[in-house]
Amino acid sequence: MPSISMTVNGQAVTGEVEGRTLLVEFLRDTLGLTGTHVGCDTSQCGACVIHLDGVSVKSCAVLALNADGAEVLTIEGVADGDDLHPMQEAFREHHGLQCGFCTPGMVLTALALVADNPDPTDAEVRHGLEGNLCRCTGYQNIVHAILDGAKRMRG
Amino acid sequence: MNKVSFGDTVRRAEDHRFLTGKGNYIDDITMPGQAHGVVVRSPYAHARINGFDADAARRAPGVLLVVTGADWAAQGFGPIPTKSAVKENRDGTPIAVPDRPCLAHDRVRYVGEGVAFIVAETRDQARDAAELLDVDYAPMDAVTHPVKALEPGAPQLHDGIADNLCVDWELGDAEATEAAMRAADRIVRLELHNNRVTGAPIEPRGAIASYDAGTDSYLMYQATQNIHANRNTTAEILGIEADKIRHVGPDVGGGFGAKNSVYPEPALVLHAAKTLNRPVKWVNDRAESFLSDTHGRSQYSTVELGVDDDGTFRALRTTTVGELGAYCGTVGAFTPTGGSARTQGGPYGFEAMYYSARAGFTNTAPLDPYRGAGRPEGSFQIERIVEKAARELGIDPVELRRKNLIPKERLPLKTAMGLDVDCGDFPTVFEQALAMTDRVGFQARKAASEAAGKRLGFAIAPYLECTGGMPKEHAVVTFTADGSAHLAVGSQSTGMGHETALPQILAATLGLDMARIGFTQADTDATPLGGGHGGSRGMEMGGNAVLQTAGEIIEKGRAIAAHLFETDVDKIDFEDGSFFEKDTNHIASMTEIIAASFDPERLPDGMEPGSLNTGSTFERGIISIPNGCHAAEVEVDPDTGAIAVTGFWVVDDFGTIINPMLADGQVMGGVGQGLGQALMENAVYDEASGQLVTGSLIDYALPRADDMPPMTLEYYEGAPTKKNPLGVKGAGEAGCCGAPPAIVNAVLDALDGLGVTHIEMPLTPEAVWRAIDAAGS
Ligand code: FES
Ligand code: FES
């Protein structure tokens, strides 16, 4: 089996994978980083969103082999120890999560969105979430959380 | 000290875990030495199975166990029972309940039905082996349409069950309804379809179990909403004692009813874990979720409203055809019968009502409760016929509703469907919702919309609801000498936030620091009984169980305080977290009493250290009646049929609100699902092949962020129910009752004048465009 190496949440990691192993499987099963979730098999739900070399991607749609040498950020790497990132704080403050299953993907999508557009409108946030499904919240509190998270990040 | 009260917006305890990736969902759990199971599912809607050839699958790399339907049948395990509350037809004969095996062995009846369970070292190996299992199928004709299934000559699903009919049922007074219909100036009639949908929680179903040969017992984690009941039923299937299974619900990624039922897979997982004597894990993928999760709704109904020319409602009659799918689900026949009949007529007054339902078997996945389970169907039926009546009578739909709402003075009353409506104020709730919607500005918005070639519409939809679920709930509180507490409940959150709301009730009642209350839910070892989640029972059952337990703790605390103050118990009051002796300066905080409760020196006779620990079972008397009013404004593009919901307003009467932030979350999530059903969600089977056409998230449309309108929410808190001590009425399912009629009626209002009087859900752009086109030609 081929061996791959990458940096995940600032740590150098290596592991063996099959050709068909998905990046999300590598993260969850090999590295034990189970914060990245799998909600579908057609790249529709966004529960698996991570950052790959600074860009948000669906880790169920990337082969682990293709991430060899990359820099990966998962939900486990977002907070600073026990201190939540301002975007995570905003989700908690605005009740932007219920069951929490979509939440890691939502937070990482939000961070990428705000990196591109630090002061988005309500409509821009909604548009930016087109790759992420949430079945619990009706999205309103997620949108409010991202708008507030962006504001907190602007300082 | 983190002091809290009822009605406080307390931020969630569970969020830190979920936001940092530390949630513990079913697929996150690993047990040492675990193997992986996959279910081999039927590709045919209806077929005879002539045999299995499992040799190649058994020889495939990593394969540990192959259990075919034939192997399962040879073990002699029981069928999956149904627990429908409706057990008899209208003539008193029992409803038809076919045997439903965990794995089919001689015949499959829907695409996705399990025919084998394969366990291997890895999930991929199990999947690879599934490809090698050879099942000899002889396809048969299938029927997937609930009405056609009941027609003469339809393919028959079950030997010994005539005409595919499961249940034929009625409620109400047929004669009185007919008489009131005849006396009315006119009868308004509408045929409508409540579309088939599915809960689609983002986390798929799954389970992992280990077996301990020494004690002949099991530990099973499952992504389910109903730990105790499903443990008992699964044990019944396997023919073992229920207490041989410890059943635990970890963090569950949404349920909405789809994780409520007893499914075949957990029994397979337990069997495999015992056979292999190693832990076995199974998790569905999304395609399997669509095929094998329970679906909901799916009713074809004729609704008739007897109404006078001045708009007075006289009588309501609903005749429905529902469906069970291929077998009876856990709740099974109840949803299209009792579940849908109860709230018929909504919050309006009638002289008489009558409800008649038939439901049969189709070659589709079993149907069972989906958020609302019958109440959304009832709400949609009444609100659609009222809207149609308004158009036919030439009366403003708002006025027609206002005229017929049951006035506050008439409560309490029992509806013609037997529903015990104790309190509420429907007219006030209605006016409160209407006032939020900016009716004054509507004409200007409509003109602006028309100038842009669009059409604006508005509708208001009052609804009447009721709660349900298991009528008992248990809470246990255990203390530590340092004053911290642990709360365990048998009710269960699959996202609703009970980990926050229930400790909030305990902390508020006992005056404890909320940060020092631990929480356990959904564990058969933690509580002797529990009803899990379903029927909006979280606060009504779980909340009241906590309150009752807290009350018993206070009584014990008074005895300890009396002993410490050397006085009589009846001289001790409890207020704001402290015990007082009347007319003295004697005072002891709850925390001090907890400390004393561990000190034999400071306890009265008959109390042992730790005896403040208390478990109590709350039993519901009569279900509560949540109600409310939703309103929608929509903009339709008549050239494309595209709909934008531009505003949504809600007033709900849930009685006492414990944590408004969590209540808001329930309402908004429910509106999201209601909007989904109204505008885009549809579980479609191809009638010729019986294949599920909407078998992926590409084909089954869930609402996304930009489909949702801005929602404005208020509560009416003037009528806490006396049916339970907290005064709560259940918040979970309101959105699914209010949103579909509000949105569909608003679209029809937007199309007023074009000759479109009805469009079946979901109102996709294509459906709307075709309706406009057909009306114009
Ligand atoms: S798991 Fe659904 S998009 Fe990746
Ligand atoms: S919080 Fe449950 S899916 Fe979004």
Side-chain angles (χ1 to χ4, degrees), chain B residues 458-470:
Chain B
F458 171 82
I460 188 160
Y463 73 88
L464 187 75
E465 244 250 79
C466 62
T467 53
M470 194 178 116

Side-chain angles (χ1 to χ4, degrees), chain A residues 96-103 133-137 142, chain B residues 202 253-254:
Chain A
L97 64 155
Q98 290 187 26
C99 78
F101 200 76
C102 71
T103 307
L133 286 169
C134 175
R135 191 56 160 164
C136 297
T137 63
I142 294 178
Chain B
I202 304 300

